[in-house]
Amino acid sequence: MGDKSKKEKKQGACILCTVVLLGIIILLLILYFSLFRPRDPKVQVPTMQLISLTQTGGAGAGDGSGNSRGGGVIQSVTLNLQVSMYNPNRADFFVDAGSTACLYYNDQQVGFTPIPPTSIPAQSFSTASIALSSSAPITPLLNSNSYGPNTPYNPYNGVNPQVQVLPLNTSVTIMGHVTTGSLFSHHSDLVSKCCISVALTSAVRPFIQSYTCERSYSLDE
């Protein structure tokens, strides 16, 4: 009887230890996924402005090939991007060196601005104003159907002018890292892209006709 009682006590102790261990593991998993699991920040470009655009040549000067040149050569263009970042983690997110904002025309990079290292406090927003300028002249060749009846209103004469659109693209790349609970580290490489239509007219100064931005996505996915 004594040996049987000892055996039952050992089995009961083993079961209790197993239950306690499983409980601890479940608790740690709950804490990890609900509180300490590192997550990527969210990057958005809610607003942008056309700061300047300098061009040479006549507006809508043709090249004889069925295309039109949008106001001649664009000597320089500068955009101001308002970049908003939200850190959902319970620890500061650090934006690392190597983060950039880039300007593209016709799938070619024409502008580049480094984003300085910074930190975003836990569960908070951070907004940065980034000036993005072209580094070389742009010679736009746009299809003639860039002109059309759906053109912006001309406040000078009440008539819609012929408008040619300069299509540009921006890409904001955020590289950074976060460590939650002093245990779990995570590196992020995020990209947010925007498509921009800049209206070039002979009657009014160039302006952003429209723009659309994608949700940020991870390059690691």
Side-chain angles (χ1 to χ4, degrees):
M1 289 292 293
D3 291 340
K4 186 176 181 180
S5 178
K6 289 181 179 180
K7 187 176 181 180
E8 290 177 348
K9 288 181 178 179
K10 287 182 179 179
Q11 288 178 344
C14 288
I15 293 174
L16 180 61
C17 289
T18 301
V19 171
V20 171
L21 181 60
L22 287 175
I24 292 173
I25 292 174
I26 292 173
L27 179 61
L28 290 176
L29 288 174
I30 292 174
L31 290 175
Y32 173 76
F33 284 104
S34 62
L35 299 179
F36 298 116
R37 180 173 64 90
R39 289 175 287 176
D40 291 329
K42 297 179 181 179
V43 182
Q44 295 179 317
V45 183
T47 60
M48 66 174 64
Q49 297 85 35
L50 177 65
I51 301 302
S52 65
L53 188 149
T54 304
Q55 59 190 41
T56 59
D63 64 356
S65 63
N67 291 326
S68 299
R69 295 186 181 274
V73 177
I74 307 298
Q75 296 295 332
S76 66
V77 57
T78 299
L79 299 171
N80 185 66
L81 309 182
Q82 296 294 323
V83 179
S84 175
M85 292 176 281
Y86 175 69
N87 174 20
N89 298 286
R90 293 179 176 269
D92 291 357
F93 181 87
F94 296 92
V95 177
D96 297 334
S99 300
T100 60
C102 296
L103 179 67
Y104 296 90
Y105 171 72
N106 196 27
D107 295 328
Q108 300 294 319
Q109 182 177 309
V110 296
F112 169 88
T113 298
I115 298 175
T118 186
S119 63
I120 307 173
Q123 297 183 313
S124 65
F125 284 91
S126 177
T127 302
S129 180
I130 300 173
L132 183 57
S133 300
S134 59
S135 57
I138 301 171
T139 304
L141 290 175
L142 302 174
N143 294 330
S144 57
N145 61 11
S146 296
Y147 297 95
N150 298 322
T151 54
Y153 177 75
N154 181 358
Y156 290 94
N157 56 20
V159 179
N160 286 345
Q162 284 190 325
V163 172
Q164 193 170 26
V165 175
L166 174 69
L168 298 172
N169 298 88
T170 62
S171 176
V172 176
T173 302
I174 301 297
M175 303 170 62
H177 67 279
V178 63
T179 300
T180 58
S182 301
L183 292 173
F184 310 107
S185 295
H186 177 68
H187 179 82
S188 298
D189 290 323
L190 301 169
V191 175
S192 178
K193 295 184 176 181
C194 299
C195 298
I196 308 155
S197 297
V198 178
L200 306 173
T201 81
S202 58
V204 296
R205 62 183 297 179
F207 60 94
I208 293 179
Q209 188 179 50
S210 64
Y211 74 91
T212 58
C213 298
E214 301 176 0
R215 290 185 177 181
S216 59
Y217 60 91
S218 174
L219 294 176
D220 299 327
E221 295 179 351

